[in-house]
Amino acid sequence: MEETLAVRKLDRLGVVLVAGGIAATALLPFIYVKANRIAAGKPMLLTQLLPQPSVLILLVLLIATALATLFLRNAFIRLALGTLCLAGLIAAIGLTATAATPPSSTVARMTPGGSFWVLFGVIGLIISDALVKIRLTPWMRVAALVAYAALLGICLSSGLLDSLSILREFSTRSAQFWTEAYSHLLLAFGSLAIAIVLGLPLGILCFWVPKLRAIVLQTLSLIQTIPSLALFGILMLPLGYLATHVPLAADIGIRGIGTAPALIALVLYSLLPIVANTVVGLEGVDPSVRDAAAGMGLTRRQILTGIDLPLAFPVILTGIRIVLVQAIGMVTIAALIGGGGFGIFIFQGLGQTAMDLVLLGAVPTVFFAFSSAVILDAVIDSIRGSAA
Amino acid sequence: MSMIEIRNVTKRYGTATVVDNVSMNVEKGEITVIVGTSGSGKSTLMRMINRLVPITEGQIFVGGQNVIDVEVTELRRKIGYAIQGHGLFPHRTVAQNIATVPQLLDWDSARIAKRVEELLGLFNLDPATFADKYPHQLSGGQQQRVGVARALAAEPELLLMDEPFGALDPVIRGKAQDDLLAIQKQFGTTIILVTHDMDEAFHLGNQIAVMSQGRLLQCSTPEKILTEPADPFVQQLTGTSDRALKLMSLLPLKESMAPAKSGLAYALPQSLSLRDALAEMIWQGVDEAAVENGEKAAVGSISMSRLLELGRKA
């Protein structure tokens, strides 16, 4: 009796996901076949590609995953089917792209269409839902991230996806891609490091001096409200002036455009979450713990480093997580003022109405932001788990 | 020479006087309980001894030395400190918590480990079970015991306790008070304890200091607080309805018994107070009982009429 009930009771999230997947498969193109980068593509539905074996296999896997999502409670089976289905999806897009590319053509572009992205998202959600239900420990979540990244890496390095437009764009700019990846991460992590070095002491000071707190936090909130593009513009003037009038400033690389204003703007945006979370974290420390520490003869510095900061650390780390994810996204805009990073591809692509080039910048940015969020969440959870 | 001398100490915050010209002495090895309602200045007075609160006027001497002349962290490391809600460090284990002050004093690790084990045993916490636990894994009573053990870790001569049993339920509180008395007897530690609970003050104190609105109303033995209250407020605080029984609870049976008699069917242990002896005799329905020592040998006797006489207003 219970079992029949369990079967009849549909998974609500599953219904939404499966409905979305079916609608996308039926209505949106799976792939656009374009004669060249900017030509209007010929949309192909998944059903129009049917004779191909990879598409047949994908459809079977999609149906199996849909049924499992609707009727099966076992998260492990769902996870396995979802992962298989994801691999099938990636293989199918790669193989159909190769099949549609005219032999020896270098200008033809095969771009994944709407139904590919929707299916990718739906399967991703099914997998992450299953992972949540399995209740992985924090470090198992990182391991899962590494496993799926490795799966993606294998697909990329095997040449399976080489016919896809995004990889065509990559192959013509692979050297530049890695340079921009390096400067993107350097800007994101560099601004984070500077923001921690400045923000942590500022947060501690704000906690000790309540009068300072209101001024500092309001100033930093005000900075957050300035649109990033405007802030880059505001910084260009004083930095440009500095570069032309102070020889030393120009020597160490300070200019009105480029890395310097990008870095300064990113640090300014990063300060509020770090300072605010430091203050909140320190306020969350039980005053009786601090009183006992002082009463036993710990010095002010010993209380700070031995009691206050370790106890506030999970909250401070939450601020650092916000800042890192925010910075990885925001660095793309720095490309507009010559700061480098994946934004270069995005703005080039927008300028040339070449969406494939936009994707070459956007996809790795999303990947890095997502990975840092998962890793830092795992660190925060494991600290909370051991101390709570 | 007194262990602690408080001379004309005053504490003001702006225009508000929190402690008003208080003078009192505490003898070595005694338990002094400071009682008063909340806002009476009792905690502030105690916190001035280890300079957690700066003294506005007057002097405090600990062991003959003015506390102002001692470097503040050095002063505090020599004085044990236990507070309500224990104040244990949540991110450190029980053993690490207890080792806090010995570590600050640079004891070698073997000596620290030995001391931690000794203290855990003393407070009935099995070292093998409890040393590596975190405070949140303990019950309220266990946390409180670890808090007191931590305060005693560096063998201080003086222990300051701010409502240490305030967060405990009555049964555990009574047990914790008895444990404290036993440990104080063993180490001879001088204790200053702040509480708002008059029964706790009578149970623990060799000396009781009653404070109200920053002033010290009376500082004397529990008997005198009962029989010769210096102020209507002191009388009100001690209560009048059961003062005969309160007084009897302060008097040991051992010192009031008559010589031993033969032919008494019922015997009481000599460790009882007069109050407990009275209660026991009412319950058993006897008019006279023998008093025996720990080896069950008769050392005296006590009659109901003698007990009633002893409880009478002097």
Side-chain angles (χ1 to χ4, degrees):
Chain A
M1 184 65 195
E2 266 185 16
E3 270 182 26
T4 48
L5 267 182
V7 171
R8 268 187 217 152
K9 204 172 160 192
L10 294 178
D11 185 305
R12 277 186 217 159
L13 175 68
V15 172
V16 175
L17 290 178
V18 170
I22 291 172
T25 311
L27 302 173
L28 296 175
F30 185 67
I31 195 166
Y32 289 97
V33 179
K34 298 191 240 178
N36 59 56
R37 187 203 265 174
I38 55 171
K42 181 182 158 212
M44 304 280 280
L45 287 176
L46 194 60
T47 42
Q48 290 171 302
L49 298 161
L50 250 187
Q52 296 187 36
S54 67
V55 176
L56 266 175
I57 295 170
L58 174 62
L59 276 178
V60 171
L61 284 172
L62 281 173
I63 292 164
T65 310
L67 291 176
T69 308
L70 288 176
F71 300 112
L72 279 181
R73 302 249 131 201
N74 188 321
F76 286 98
I77 297 177
R78 284 191 191 190
L79 177 66
L81 272 174
T83 306
L84 216 56
C85 198
L86 189 68
L89 182 71
I90 290 171
I93 194 81
L95 292 172
T96 49
T98 308
T101 308
S104 75
S105 163
T106 53
V107 290
R109 290 286 184 271
M110 305 300 135
T111 306
S115 77
F116 171 82
W117 293 114
V118 172
L119 285 174
F120 188 82
V122 163
I123 298 168
L125 284 173
I126 289 172
I127 290 173
S128 57
D129 179 55
L131 286 172
V132 168
K133 291 214 167 99
I134 290 171
R135 289 177 199 282
L136 292 179
T137 61
W139 295 114
M140 291 293 288
R141 294 209 300 265
V142 175
L145 175 73
V146 171
Y148 283 100
L151 186 72
L152 186 67
I154 291 169
C155 291
L156 288 173
S157 61
S158 66
L160 180 67
L161 302 176
D162 280 357
S163 309
L164 276 184
S165 55
I166 179 169
L167 285 168
R168 284 289 169 96
E169 298 294 349
F170 170 73
S171 66
T172 55
R173 319 181 148 67
S174 64
Q176 195 198 354
F177 180 87
W178 294 115
T179 321
E180 299 305 348
Y182 175 74
S183 61
H184 195 106
L185 294 180
L186 194 69
L187 265 179
F189 282 95
S191 65
L192 173 70
I194 296 172
I196 292 174
V197 169
L198 295 177
L200 206 58
L202 196 58
I204 294 166
L205 208 62
C206 284
F207 173 70
W208 281 345
V209 189
K211 276 180 195 163
L212 197 67
R213 191 180 311 176
I215 301 169
V216 170
L217 289 182
Q218 274 167 22
T219 310
L220 292 176
S221 305
L222 197 70
I223 293 174
Q224 288 272 320
T225 63
I226 306 175
S228 44
L229 208 51
L231 187 58
F232 289 136
I234 293 169
L235 286 169
M236 280 162 85
L237 290 173
L239 289 177
Y241 180 85
L242 209 63
T244 45
H245 291 83
V246 184
L248 182 70
D251 287 345
I252 59 169
I254 291 180
R255 272 175 217 96
I257 57 165
T259 314
L263 197 65
I264 292 172
L266 287 168
V267 168
L268 286 176
Y269 283 124
S270 305
L271 280 177
L272 180 68
I274 291 181
V275 173
N277 278 48
T278 306
V279 173
V280 170
L282 291 174
E283 273 176 344
V285 176
D286 183 354
S288 77
V289 171
R290 209 175 281 128
D291 180 47
M296 285 191 293
L298 275 76
T299 62
R300 202 168 173 178
R301 177 192 284 192
Q302 284 167 335
I303 294 174
L304 180 68
T305 57
I307 310 295
D308 278 341
L309 286 181
L311 289 176
F313 189 59
V315 181
I316 297 174
L317 208 55
T318 311
I320 290 174
R321 175 205 182 281
I322 295 170
V323 164
L324 184 58
V325 175
Q326 171 188 285
I328 289 175
M330 211 178 265
V331 171
T332 50
I333 300 172
L336 276 184
I337 53 159
F342 290 128
I344 297 266
F345 301 124
I346 296 179
F347 290 113
Q348 269 182 13
L350 286 175
Q352 305 169 10
T353 59
M355 287 318 286
D356 308 322
L357 201 51
V358 174
L359 286 178
L360 184 64
V363 170
T365 307
V366 172
F367 173 76
F368 281 127
F370 180 75
S371 308
S372 7
V374 169
I375 292 170
L376 280 180
D377 278 342
V379 175
I380 293 166
D381 283 355
S382 68
I383 292 172
R384 285 233 164 98
S386 65
Chain B
M1 189 188 62
S2 300
M3 177 79 192
I4 298 174
E5 268 186 77
I6 297 175
R7 280 194 208 154
N8 306 100
V9 164
T10 295
K11 175 67 198 177
R12 282 190 213 99
Y13 289 106
T15 53
T17 305
V18 183
V19 173
D20 189 1
N21 195 22
V22 168
S23 297
M24 63 186 269
N25 288 353
V26 172
E27 300 305 321
K28 195 170 165 60
E30 302 258 278
I31 301 182
T32 298
V33 181
I34 308 176
V35 272
T37 50
S38 53
S40 61
K42 55 188 192 303
S43 288
T44 310
L45 178 64
M46 193 195 78
R47 289 163 69 86
M48 283 192 282
I49 297 172
N50 65 357
R51 289 176 57 195
L52 280 171
V53 171
I55 304 166
T56 311
E57 270 168 34
Q59 291 107 37
I60 295 177
F61 295 87
V62 173
Q65 205 171 18
N66 191 334
V67 293
I68 294 298
D69 298 335
V70 187
E71 208 264 309
V72 67
T73 52
E74 191 193 328
L75 173 80
R76 289 173 186 166
R77 286 168 197 182
K78 283 196 300 196
I79 300 175
Y81 185 61
I83 57 175
Q84 178 171 13
H86 61 76
L88 294 176
F89 303 147
H91 60 308
R92 297 199 184 159
T93 63
V94 166
Q96 288 167 339
N97 264 288
I98 295 177
T100 305
V101 181
Q103 254 159 12
L104 291 173
L105 295 173
D106 281 329
W107 287 18
D108 63 69
S109 55
R111 186 178 170 203
I112 293 176
K114 190 162 161 277
R115 179 66 178 163
V116 168
E117 194 159 324
E118 180 190 3
L119 280 165
L120 283 173
L122 206 59
F123 282 88
N124 289 317
L125 297 163
D126 174 31
T129 319
F130 288 97
D132 294 326
K133 285 202 171 170
Y134 284 89
H136 70 93
Q137 297 171 303
L138 308 179
S139 72
Q142 289 164 345
Q143 290 173 340
Q144 189 275 336
R145 278 183 272 166
V146 174
V148 178
R150 182 176 70 171
L152 289 170
E155 299 164 355
E157 286 188 16
L158 173 62
L159 175 59
L160 304 180
M161 307 181 89
D162 193 350
E163 307 227 10
F165 310 120
L168 303 181
D169 65 64
V171 176
I172 298 175
R173 187 185 307 167
K175 174 82 173 71
Q177 289 166 347
D178 291 337
D179 288 349
L180 181 69
L181 284 175
I183 284 162
Q184 192 270 341
K185 205 170 261 176
Q186 187 177 340
F187 290 141
T189 315
T190 310
I191 296 178
I192 295 185
L193 187 144
V194 164
T195 182
H196 61 263
D197 178 354
M198 207 64 197
D199 290 328
E200 185 166 276
F202 279 106
H203 185 43
L204 297 174
N206 303 112
Q207 176 175 249
I208 295 179
V210 182
M211 286 190 72
S212 177
Q213 296 175 335
R215 288 185 308 115
L216 178 65
L217 300 179
Q218 186 170 9
C219 178
S220 50
T221 61
E223 291 85 351
K224 279 208 170 145
I225 295 277
L226 268 178
T227 56
E228 300 165 29
D231 186 284
F233 181 79
V234 177
Q235 194 164 26
Q236 195 192 332
L237 209 61
T238 55
T240 50
S241 61
D242 65 342
R243 54 187 162 185
L245 293 174
K246 251 189 196 133
L247 181 60
M248 287 175 80
S249 73
L250 295 169
L251 303 173
L253 177 58
K254 196 174 157 187
E255 285 162 24
S256 308
M257 62 195 179
K261 271 188 197 175
S262 61
L264 292 171
Y266 187 71
L268 295 166
Q270 65 173 0
S271 57
L272 293 184
S273 69
L274 291 186
R275 175 192 175 136
D276 294 342
L278 177 67
E280 204 51 35
M281 286 168 75
I282 293 171
W283 187 251
Q284 298 293 343
V286 295
D287 284 329
E288 196 161 18
V291 179
E292 56 183 27
N293 63 14
E295 282 80 48
K296 302 270 178 203
V299 290
S301 66
I302 190 82
S303 66
M304 198 62 137
S305 56
R306 169 97 180 119
L307 275 176
L308 296 179
E309 197 182 308
L310 286 165
R312 208 169 290 158
K313 186 179 169 190

